[in-house]
Amino acid sequence: MIHLLAEAGDLARGTIEVEGADHRHLFRARRLKVGDRVRLVDGRGAARWSVVDHVTARRAVLRVGGEAPVFEPARRVALFVSAVRPERAAWLVEKATELGLRELRWFVSERTSRSLPERALERQRRVAKSALEQSGGSWLPEIAEPVPLKEAPIGAGAVALHPGAPTPFIAVAGSAEAIVVGPEGGFSEREVEELAGCGVVPAHFGPRVLRTETAAVAALAVALTAMS
Amino acid sequence: MIHLLAEAGDLARGTIEVEGADHRHLFRARRLKVGDRVRLVDGRGAARWSVVDHVTARRAVLRVGGEAPVFEPARRVALFVSAVRPERAAWLVEKATELGLRELRWFVSERTSRSLPERALERQRRVAKSALEQSGGSWLPEIAEPVPLKEAPIGAGAVALHPGAPTPFIAVAGSAEAIVVGPEGGFSEREVEELAGCGVVPAHFGPRVLRTETAAVAALAVALTAMS
């Protein structure tokens, strides 16, 4: 099955045009032909079937049909993650989007060693589109630019990974609405207290030191599976 | 805490020498000094403390001390994975080693589109060493070169990810001794039957199409967490 991320408004129209990179992907790489079926997703949880109506060298038209199935997790889980190197950040975005991430918000805390430039975020949004189309998801996670930890909209329902916490993550994974992952140096005691003051539950993910993006993808997988 | 993977025999000796890449890492990148403590792991589950005894420009000697704590998962989980592109394979090795993988065995099945050259496996073993030292693990997962699926030593206790399976992975994650992950095209019906004939339990990881390395890391995280 071929999936294509369309503009939110496009699914309400009778036909949509495909040009540029999407045209190259569908009609050169994937070799679709007139009459072939494409599942359109709008990035906001809706999906419709469509059929290739006609194709030229640079442009194609898809005829939009009825509702298509959606494959979203039973619950929404957001990730708040300490900024990491662009290459590792792109991997996190690809894997988390495949798994069904709701949204990703980067932050910079006391021990975060870098931020992420706008071009890295632009690349992450392209990676997220590809990962969504590859996995069959219909919700495109928003990717928010890094903000200071204290400005991140983290509140009750969130779980922060913290090695010193008494609670194992698995015990709270099924109810986590957001997962907060700090830098490899961890959160400072002051940050841990501030997070607790916002109603965030601290939990540990075992005794090993995981890279930030490893902890984020692993915890997301556990949370989405625990609630499925 | 600084971790160093030593030769299995070295932990039984009174002192060990550090040269080459390890020397550069410990004494240039990490700037260790005489008297600093290094946790030595042997890659087979044992760990000892050591102290930097003396350092020269190209060589250092660590004095081996008493037993150090180990941070291994409660149970052993192996991965059998359809060969993927070298870049994705290295990412899988890094993430799975951080999480506590026991061993990784690549295979080639009907729909596997590639194998992995020896130089890719050599790179994966370097990546595994770095990931082990970064995470504090003490067991270095063996990485076995690709073999045809039917020659892979897969048996009872293994769970194969298969979209058509009625059982969700989470239901069997806690008892999985090995996880078998096929190519993105999935296993053929014949392969599914052959795996079932070997006592392998099929289970699905949700309705989305995950890349091979994404499914492997996500399922490993769920399995190791479920049993912890």
Side-chain angles (χ1 to χ4, degrees), chain A residues 88 94-95 98 211 213, chain B residues 88 94-95 211 213:
Chain A
R88 295 182 175 277
E94 178 178 288
K95 301 320 182 194
E98 287 179 51
R211 287 186 186 277
E213 75 279 6
Chain B
R88 295 181 174 278
E94 178 178 285
K95 299 323 181 193
R211 288 185 185 276
E213 74 279 5

Side-chain angles (χ1 to χ4, degrees), chain B residues 111-125:
Chain B
R111 298 174 190 163
T112 303
S113 58
R114 58 170 39 74
S115 188
L116 282 159
E118 182 53 36
R119 69 177 181 286
L121 295 169
E122 287 160 7
R123 181 184 166 207
Q124 290 168 34
R125 294 178 183 122

Side-chain angles (χ1 to χ4, degrees), chain B residues 101-120:
Chain B
L101 176 65
R102 187 66 178 192
E103 66 177 320
L104 171 61
R105 293 177 172 275
W106 297 109
F107 66 78
V108 174
S109 60
E110 284 179 33
R111 298 174 190 163
T112 303
S113 58
R114 58 170 39 74
S115 188
L116 282 159
E118 182 53 36
R119 69 177 181 286

Side-chain angles (χ1 to χ4, degrees), chain A residues 79-93:
Chain A
L79 280 174
F80 291 81
V81 185
S82 170
V84 295
R85 295 213 317 261
E87 186 61 26
R88 295 182 175 277
W91 272 110
L92 187 163
V93 167

Side-chain angles (χ1 to χ4, degrees), chain A residues 71-72 88 91 94-95 97-100 134-135 137 170 184 205 207-211 213-214 218 221-222 225, chain B residues 71-72 88 91 94-95 97-100 134-135 137 170 205 207-211 213-214 218 221-222 225:
Chain A
F71 311 115
E72 291 304 308
R88 295 182 175 277
W91 272 110
E94 178 178 288
K95 301 320 182 194
T97 301
E98 287 179 51
L99 290 167
Q134 191 270 339
S135 64
I170 187 66
E184 273 136 50
F205 203 79
R208 293 164 81 113
V209 179
L210 302 181
R211 287 186 186 277
E213 75 279 6
T214 311
V222 170
T225 307
Chain B
F71 311 113
E72 291 304 307
R88 295 181 174 278
W91 181 88
E94 178 178 285
K95 299 323 181 193
T97 302
E98 287 178 52
L99 290 167
Q134 192 271 338
S135 64
I170 187 67
F205 203 79
R208 292 165 79 115
V209 179
L210 302 180
R211 288 185 185 276
E213 74 279 5
T214 311
V222 170
T225 306

Side-chain angles (χ1 to χ4, degrees), chain B residues 66-190:
Chain B
E67 278 192 17
V70 294
F71 311 113
E72 291 304 307
R75 291 206 20 224
R76 304 174 175 181
V77 179
L79 281 174
F80 292 80
V81 184
S82 171
V84 296
R85 293 208 325 253
E87 183 63 23
R88 295 181 174 278
W91 181 88
L92 186 163
V93 166
E94 178 178 285
K95 299 323 181 193
T97 302
E98 287 178 52
L99 290 167
L101 176 65
R102 187 66 178 192
E103 66 177 320
L104 171 61
R105 293 177 172 275
W106 297 109
F107 66 78
V108 174
S109 60
E110 284 179 33
R111 298 174 190 163
T112 303
S113 58
R114 58 170 39 74
S115 188
L116 282 159
E118 182 53 36
R119 69 177 181 286
L121 295 169
E122 287 160 7
R123 181 184 166 207
Q124 290 168 34
R125 294 178 183 122
R126 291 193 299 274
V127 166
K129 176 183 190 293
S130 300
L132 191 75
E133 293 172 336
Q134 192 271 338
S135 64
S138 55
W139 181 271
L140 185 69
E142 180 194 352
I143 300 173
E145 64 185 359
V147 298
L149 176 60
K150 58 168 58 62
E151 292 174 20
I154 303 171
V159 173
L161 300 187
H162 181 55
T167 308
F169 181 74
I170 187 67
V172 292
S175 60
E177 294 167 15
I179 303 166
V180 187
V181 186
E184 272 135 50
F187 293 110
S188 69
E189 282 314 312
R190 191 177 60 74

